[in-house]
Amino acid sequence: MATSASSKLSKDVKQRYMELPQGDKVQAMYFWIDGTGEGLRCKTRTLDFEPKSIEDLPEWNFDGSSTYQSEGSNSDMFLIPSAMFRDPFRKDPNKLVLCEVLKYNRKKAETNLRNSCKNIMSMVENQHPWFGMEQEYTILGTDGHPFGWPSNGFPGPQGPYYCGVGADKAYGRDIVEAHYRACLYAGVNICGTNAEVMPAQWEFQVGPCEGIEMGDHLWAARFILHRVCEDFGVVASFDPKPIPGNWNGAGCHTNFSTKEMREDGGLKYIEDAIEKLSKRHQYHIRAYDPKGGLDNARRLTGYHETSNINEFSAGVANRGASIRIPRSVGQDKKGYFEDRRPSANCDPYSVTEALIRTCLLNEEGEEPQDYKN
């Protein structure tokens, strides 16, 4: 199993230093989305006080030419603190700080999708949109081989691994447990985990979150997962189809509801929203992975519990549909629906914004409306 060299360093030696008092100083680790729209970057600064709110945190900058975000001749970019969490690696009073990225001219970077999402969410806050996202991922060695798989072959076929128990069924549970506890410590709204259908594939769920918090908390959970995996010497992959062939892909199923959907008679509003989504399928496919649908095309084949990328479908308790209405929702006539199309590497800001634009702002056509004009 290929693990990183740094994971073999003595954690006991490191712990001696981590237990040293830090006086009245606080370490704030700023993290942000890089120019790929998928990768995360981070760096740390020392503060002379413990920040109590996001307003207490100073802006910062970084070299965008090294993160696929600018040219070397004009490379300074701004980090705008946007959400703050407790740091589960350095512990209190230290912080993790999710940042938006602005270019040298103070305009949002191309992969800063939070800025637009926040504006859209502010337009519908009276409808109290709730989201829950089910993040699937695959644990890989540093050589790209799935964790626990035979070095020159494949494990047994899918069947015993989903929610599996036992050394021959659950590959990498230590990582999952460490990530879960780290998220709880940080204040991330993580609500569950389970082993997935493909061995070495897992899922965690975040939510319910209202509005912009969905994207903030999912990105924070992803950052924490990458850091936990770094300690174990392995890699968390959000590739939608990491292993070709007869293996399940990885998605990020998104559950959505409004106040009206959650109240008695809410099924009518759910059905209305699904009708709107049916007329805007390609727009959502483009919004649901960082490559405009190309990544998802490898996953949404109509097989392995997916819908076909070229067709829109909906149904009660149907895991092969684009949109699934849970059976309990069909019985209670209220609740939420699940959009099963987003890829594991989607940007949650893009996904949640698209749902609001179509379902609540009643946009039509294949292009998003510009509300600034």
Side-chain angles (χ1 to χ4, degrees):
M1 183 68 217
T3 56
S4 70
S6 60
S7 69
K8 300 179 179 68
L9 297 173
S10 171
K11 306 305 179 188
D12 289 338
V13 172
K14 175 190 173 187
Q15 193 57 31
R16 293 183 208 165
Y17 299 99
M18 298 304 291
E19 290 171 355
L20 292 172
Q22 59 187 75
D24 58 357
K25 305 292 185 181
V26 170
Q27 291 172 287
M29 179 176 279
Y30 286 40
F31 68 98
W32 67 96
I33 302 158
D34 70 15
T36 65
E38 301 178 61
L40 286 162
R41 308 292 180 116
C42 65
K43 63 177 187 171
T44 301
R45 68 182 298 163
T46 302
L47 302 176
D48 295 326
F49 60 94
E50 181 180 356
K52 300 300 183 185
S53 71
I54 205 71
E55 290 74 26
D56 294 338
L57 291 158
E59 290 186 13
W60 206 9
N61 55 65
F62 69 96
D63 169 20
S65 68
S66 299
T67 61
Y68 314 116
Q69 289 174 296
S70 71
E71 299 177 358
S73 59
N74 195 4
S75 65
D76 276 4
M77 304 192 77
F78 297 101
L79 293 172
I80 311 302
S82 301
M84 183 170 66
F85 302 87
R86 297 168 71 197
D87 188 336
F89 307 103
R90 293 164 171 156
K91 300 182 181 178
D92 290 337
N94 304 301
K95 306 296 181 187
L96 299 180
V97 182
L98 171 65
C99 298
E100 284 191 28
V101 177
L102 300 183
K103 296 189 284 190
Y104 70 95
N105 56 6
R106 307 290 294 185
K107 293 184 178 180
K108 64 179 183 178
E110 282 72 14
T111 51
N112 175 4
L113 304 186
R114 185 184 190 275
N115 189 276
S116 174
C117 182
K118 186 178 180 182
N119 292 337
I120 292 296
M121 292 299 170
S122 69
M123 298 171 66
V124 297
E125 57 188 2
N126 63 322
Q127 299 187 57
H128 301 284
W130 287 5
F131 303 92
M133 299 186 78
E134 306 170 23
Q135 177 69 70
E136 294 178 337
Y137 64 96
T138 309
I139 303 174
L140 307 176
T142 53
D143 58 358
H145 196 67
F147 182 85
W149 284 34
S151 56
N152 294 307
F154 297 90
Q158 295 181 158
Y161 308 108
Y162 172 71
C163 296
V165 179
D168 58 340
K169 300 177 183 70
Y171 299 6
R173 192 184 298 275
D174 285 355
I175 294 161
V176 176
E177 293 296 332
H179 173 249
Y180 201 153
R181 190 60 59 89
C183 283
L184 290 173
Y185 181 94
V188 170
N189 192 13
I190 187 171
C191 59
T193 63
N194 59 270
E196 265 304 330
V197 176
M198 189 180 83
Q201 194 175 79
W202 294 80
E203 174 181 300
F204 64 86
Q205 302 93 32
V206 175
C209 294
E210 187 165 329
I212 195 67
E213 284 193 350
M214 184 67 254
D216 292 349
H217 281 245
L218 190 66
W219 275 115
R222 287 174 172 178
F223 176 79
I224 291 169
L225 178 62
H226 285 308
R227 275 288 289 105
V228 167
C229 285
E230 183 182 324
D231 284 346
F232 282 95
V234 295
V235 176
S237 169
F238 297 111
D239 190 288
K241 188 71 174 179
I243 306 298
N246 196 26
W247 303 97
N248 272 38
C252 192
H253 302 158
T254 301
N255 302 285
F256 173 60
S257 69
T258 62
K259 187 173 183 291
E260 288 180 325
M261 294 178 191
R262 297 188 292 270
E263 294 176 342
D264 288 346
L267 184 59
K268 174 188 180 300
Y269 298 100
I270 292 172
E271 290 172 341
D272 287 348
I274 293 172
E275 176 65 20
K276 295 172 188 174
L277 290 168
S278 72
K279 299 174 181 176
R280 218 178 185 209
H281 180 60
Q282 290 305 319
Y283 164 72
H284 283 265
I285 289 297
R286 288 203 309 274
Y288 284 3
D289 84 48
K291 296 182 179 66
L294 293 177
D295 275 348
N296 237 346
R298 294 183 284 120
R299 165 181 161 259
L300 295 180
T301 60
Y303 301 100
H304 305 106
E305 299 182 273
T306 69
S307 59
N308 188 301
I309 194 168
N310 297 312
E311 300 170 2
F312 181 89
S313 56
V316 175
N318 183 357
R319 284 181 158 75
S322 308
I323 305 293
R324 181 181 74 94
I325 300 175
R327 190 168 299 283
S328 61
V329 173
Q331 293 169 347
D332 296 341
K333 303 290 191 288
K334 63 180 179 181
Y336 66 96
F337 66 83
E338 177 191 46
D339 193 332
R340 297 177 60 81
R341 295 171 293 176
S343 65
N345 62 342
C346 70
D347 189 318
Y349 298 127
S350 178
V351 172
T352 56
E353 177 180 329
L355 284 167
I356 295 298
R357 284 178 175 273
T358 300
C359 298
L360 301 188
L361 298 180
N362 302 317
E363 287 189 13
E364 299 177 350
E366 295 304 320
E367 296 300 327
Q369 187 173 329
D370 186 353
Y371 294 98
K372 296 174 185 175
N373 296 333

